[in-house]
Amino acid sequence: LLPQWLHAEFNALEVLQRYLLPKALHNVSAAARAVHDANSSEPLASRLLHFAESVAEFTYYMLNGALYTRGSAAISILSHHALFLWLLRHEDDASDRAAAARHRLQALRCLPNWRPHTMPDIEASTCHTAGAYVRGAYWASFEVPPEAARASVAECLGQQLQPSEEAKDRGRSDA
């Protein structure tokens, strides 16, 4: 018999859609609220890493939901990126769409790149749990070593949440 994770069956997909993905998305939302909580005593870098790991958990479930299905890995990666961009939203985004787009582009540029020639859905399927994926395979899936990826994500998101005048100028010059 082949392991069930190779080919998701109907009941597993039902559990994924009805329980696991909504719970994972709720965790992402709660982590985002914690990042934006100005009264939090937890260091910002720690809250940002918790957010990134919540996104990684959500991504794990997305990658495993439609394994070997055309486009599923791309949809999962786009969802992954969209959640990071959602964290970086600003109240003034609606009034100045061009500035918001430049800001998002800068954010995507400072996040570490995925390793070339990888298959994120296959890498996720090799982990038996979301926790194992978040602790190991997720951080190892970037071009830089895992510890450097963690530090890079925290630094990048921190800079983008509180952009300097220099970063704003660089964004305007990109336009």
Side-chain angles (χ1 to χ4, degrees):
L1 288 173
L2 294 175
Q4 177 178 339
W5 55 263
L6 286 179
H7 300 284
E9 59 101 21
F10 181 74
N11 289 331
L13 288 176
E14 282 294 307
V15 169
L16 182 70
Q17 287 179 328
R18 292 180 188 255
Y19 302 104
L20 296 174
L21 276 173
K23 182 179 183 298
L25 190 57
H26 173 77
N27 292 344
V28 170
S29 178
R33 283 192 305 275
V35 165
H36 290 288
D37 181 4
N39 298 322
S40 177
S41 61
E42 186 179 359
L44 180 60
S46 175
R47 291 180 281 155
L48 290 169
L49 282 175
H50 179 68
F51 175 81
E53 291 177 346
S54 297
V55 171
E57 177 189 22
F58 181 83
T59 304
Y60 169 82
Y61 290 124
M62 288 287 291
L63 288 168
N64 277 293
L67 201 56
Y68 306 123
T69 303
R70 187 168 189 265
S72 62
I75 291 166
S76 301
I77 291 170
L78 288 171
S79 297
H80 172 271
H81 289 21
L83 289 171
F84 278 107
L85 294 178
W86 173 71
L87 174 73
L88 301 174
R89 68 196 182 284
H90 290 283
E91 287 72 30
D92 60 343
D93 279 0
S95 63
D96 189 355
R97 293 178 65 192
R102 289 191 303 272
H103 177 73
R104 290 182 185 123
L105 179 61
Q106 280 187 304
L108 287 176
R109 285 182 179 162
C110 79
L111 290 170
N113 291 321
W114 297 80
R115 279 189 339 267
H117 313 295
T118 59
M119 300 176 76
D121 51 344
I122 305 305
E123 289 185 18
S125 73
T126 64
C127 297
H128 294 286
T129 66
Y133 176 73
V134 170
R135 287 187 304 277
Y138 175 71
W139 294 109
S141 66
F142 297 107
E143 285 182 325
V144 296
E147 286 306 314
R150 281 185 182 90
S152 175
V153 166
E155 181 182 343
C156 169
L157 295 175
Q159 287 174 352
Q160 297 306 316
L161 282 170
Q162 302 162 343
S164 65
E165 284 304 313
E166 178 184 328
K168 289 178 184 178
D169 291 341
R170 194 170 46 249
R172 284 189 281 275
S173 72
D174 283 349

